[in-house]
């Protein structure tokens, strides 16, 4: 199947998944574009014969970084973009493969799929983590949390 | 400023954000900012996915007694719009652009705000299912089958929501319906070439995307209790969907079909 169609489908997928997450119309279009961009990064990385882990990681970094930038421009929570845009790279395939292998009593395959699914989830988490480490808002928050709040009155 | 009223407002806002799927640190931060508007010096908010604990106290002489509240939160939905709007209300309130009364009024309006109509949710579920099938590399016939599977799932969800069925049973049944319809369409009516892609597309509307991402963000921010419980939530949901699909596959297998 050609890649253009897949990226277009990724846009539709994140856009309509955004409706399921009850996102507002103003966020939906940008979040959809971001989701399509993330999937394009993922496919591009795969076509450079990088591993699934690395490709997922790159897509996760791309989506998280742009979500942080967009949320600062539009003064909205980062989640509003990030959750929707990251949805396409969440390992749905892996989940299905695990249950399929269990049903067909192919336990070695089930274990392989289990670990590859965990790996994909870890790649997404790593991407979010690295972007979060450089997010100025998150840094302020982290420093604030180190001491117990006391307000001068 | 009326402290009890301010406290009530902070709790209501926090509860709304938490039950809409906001991250723990965002709820804590928002409540802290609102409560800082009071005359109390010590303000602390502790939030977990199932409850909010807040307290305010003062160290000065002949001050008021400390105030403390616990709010149990049982409803957990995904509503990005409410998080954004609640954030906006707290932002305006904390920068003194609106008074407490106006903020309470705005929160009340937000609580009863109209969401997407039912037909749009059904349409969104259907399109999501087919779009994911295409995205993972399925062809147009696969997408057509996924449209039907997604539509059946959306209808089932609609009726189960109306009858207030248990969320867990709904996921189990959702997985089973997607699996059953996909097998029926693909193996008996011969629509589409990749049965696995049809099923994967069909179950995507059920996948706990918000819980996964929010759980990761919670753990990164050091909210271990919230992060781990959200991850457990996501894991249980995933297991239920997989069990539902697995049950349909097993039935087909037992009936003599080749998987």
């Amino acid at each position: 199947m050609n890649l253009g169609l897949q990226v277009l489908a990724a846009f539709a997928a994140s856009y309509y998944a955004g409706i399921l997450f009850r996102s507002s119309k103003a966020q939906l279009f940008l979040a959809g574009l971001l989701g399509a961009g993330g999937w394009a990064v993922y496919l591009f990385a795969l076509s450079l014969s990088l591993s699934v882990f690395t490709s997922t990681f790159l897509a996760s970094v791309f989506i998280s970084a742009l979500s942080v930038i967009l949320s600062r421009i539009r003064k909205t929570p980062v989640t509003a973009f990030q959750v929707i845009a990251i949805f396409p790279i969440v390992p749905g395939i892996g989940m299905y493969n695990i249950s399929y292998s269990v049903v067909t009593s192919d336990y070695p395959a089930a274990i392989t799929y289990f670990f590859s699914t965990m790996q994909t989830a870890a790649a997404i988490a790593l991407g979010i983590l690295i972007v979060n480490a450089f997010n100025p808002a998150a840094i302020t928050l982290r420093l604030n949390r180190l001491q117990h709040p006391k307000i001068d009155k | 400023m009326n402290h009890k009223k301010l406290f009530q407002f902070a709790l209501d806002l926090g509860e709304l954000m938490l039950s809409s799927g906001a991250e723990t640190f965002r709820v804590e931060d928002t409540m802290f900012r609102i409560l800082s508007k009071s005359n109390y010096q010590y303000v602390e908010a502790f939030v977990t996915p199932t409850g909010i604990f807040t307290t305010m106290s003062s160290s000065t002489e002949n001050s008021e007694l400390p105030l403390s509240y616990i709010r149990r939160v049982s409803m957990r939905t995904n509503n990005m719009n409410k998080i954004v709007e609640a954030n906006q209300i707290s932002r305006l309130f904390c920068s003194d652009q609106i008074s407490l009364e106006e903020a309470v009024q705005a929160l009340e309006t937000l609580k009863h705000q109209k969401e997407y109509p039912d037909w749009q949710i059904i349409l969104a579920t259907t399109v999501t299912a087919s779009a994911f099938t295409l995205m993972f590399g399925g062809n147009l016939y696969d997408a057509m089958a996924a449209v039907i599977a997604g539509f059946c799932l959306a209808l089932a969800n609609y009726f189960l929501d109306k009858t207030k069925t248990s969320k867990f049973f709904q996921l189990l049944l959702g997985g089973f319906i997607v699996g059953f319809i996909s097998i029926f369409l693909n193996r008996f009516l011969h629509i589409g070439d990749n049965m696995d892609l049809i099923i994967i597309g069909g179950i995507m509307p059920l996948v706990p995307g918000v819980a996964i991402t929010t759980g990761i963000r919670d753990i990164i921010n050091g909210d271990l209790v919230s992060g781990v419980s959200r991850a457990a939530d996501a894991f249980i949901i995933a297991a239920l969907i997989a069990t539902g699909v697995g049950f349909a596959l097993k039935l087909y297998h037992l009936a003599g079909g080749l998987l």
Side-chain angles (χ1 to χ4, degrees), chain A residues 31-45:
Chain A
L33 278 185
L34 206 53
W39 191 247
V41 169
Y42 175 79
L43 289 178
F44 180 69

Side-chain angles (χ1 to χ4, degrees), chain A residues 30-67:
Chain A
L30 280 173
L33 278 185
L34 206 53
W39 191 247
V41 169
Y42 175 79
L43 289 178
F44 180 69
L46 277 186
S47 72
L48 295 178
S49 64
L50 292 170
S51 67
V52 173
F53 181 87
T54 319
S55 310
T56 312
F57 170 70
L58 289 176
S60 173
V61 168
F62 173 83
I63 291 168
S64 306
L66 279 183
S67 310

Side-chain angles (χ1 to χ4, degrees), chain A residues 11-33:
Chain A
F11 173 76
S14 1
Y15 188 94
Y16 284 96
I19 293 185
L20 294 181
F21 296 151
R22 309 293 194 278
S23 186
S24 69
K25 289 244 159 54
Q27 317 277 337
L28 273 178
F29 185 72
L30 280 173
L33 278 185

